[in-house]
Amino acid sequence: MGIVSTFETELKVLEKRLKAIPYGWRDAKMIAAVADTLLIRLLKTVPPNKLAQIQHEISHTRVEINVTRDYTGKAREQFTYVPNGALEWLEDKVIDMECSMCDLDEKQAKKCPVRKNIEALYMYDFPERESCCPLAQMHIGGDPRGGH
C-alpha cells in the first residue's frame, strides 16, 4: 500500500527528472503498475472482515520514512549528517574558547572531553603532537612550532 500510494502522489513530482533518464519514466510507470496489480491481488487474500477494517482505516493512514539508528536495528548512538563548513566553523569556535591556552600534556589531552568529542566527529585519528594536544593553538609548555 505504501508503494502504491507513494507512486500515486509522487510520480508527477518526479516526472521531469525521470524523463531526463533513459527509460526512467517508462520504468517508474511500470513499477507503479506492477505494484498496483500486486496490491490488488494481495488484498484478495485478506479475510473480508479485515479488508473492511483496512478500507475504513485507509483514510487515516499515512506512510512515513524514518532513518533508523543503525542498519542492524539495534539501539545505538544516533548519527546525523551536517555540512562540513558548519561543522568546521563550530569546531573552530569550541577550540578558540576551550583550547587556545591549553597546557595539557599529550597523555592528559587524550582524556580531554573536548578532544574526545571533536575526534568523534571525524572518521580518522588526529595526528599526535609531541608535548601537547593537537588542538592546542598556543601551548605555553614550549612547542617551538606553535599553532597546529
Side-chain angles (χ1 to χ4, degrees), residues 7-43:
F7 266 95
E8 270 181 27
T9 59
E10 303 301 322
L11 206 54
K12 281 291 183 193
V13 174
L14 294 171
E15 182 176 358
K16 184 178 177 182
R17 190 172 278 174
L18 285 165
K19 285 183 176 180
I21 303 168
Y23 307 108
W25 181 246
R26 182 203 67 174
D27 290 351
K29 296 287 279 180
M30 180 189 65
I31 292 168
V34 169
D36 192 48
T37 303
L38 180 59
L39 177 62
I40 290 167
R41 291 183 4 225
L42 183 62
L43 289 175

Side-chain angles (χ1 to χ4, degrees), residues 129-146:
R129 282 175 58 187
E130 289 182 31
S131 77
C132 68
C133 175
L135 301 178
Q137 295 176 352
M138 293 182 290
H139 184 65
I140 299 171
D143 183 348
R145 298 168 294 195

Side-chain angles (χ1 to χ4, degrees), residues 6 26 48 54 60 89 111 118 123 125 130 142 145:
T6 300
R26 182 203 67 174
I54 290 171
H60 303 287
W89 181 89
K111 297 176 185 174
I118 289 177
M123 61 192 134
D125 292 333
E130 289 182 31
R145 298 168 294 195

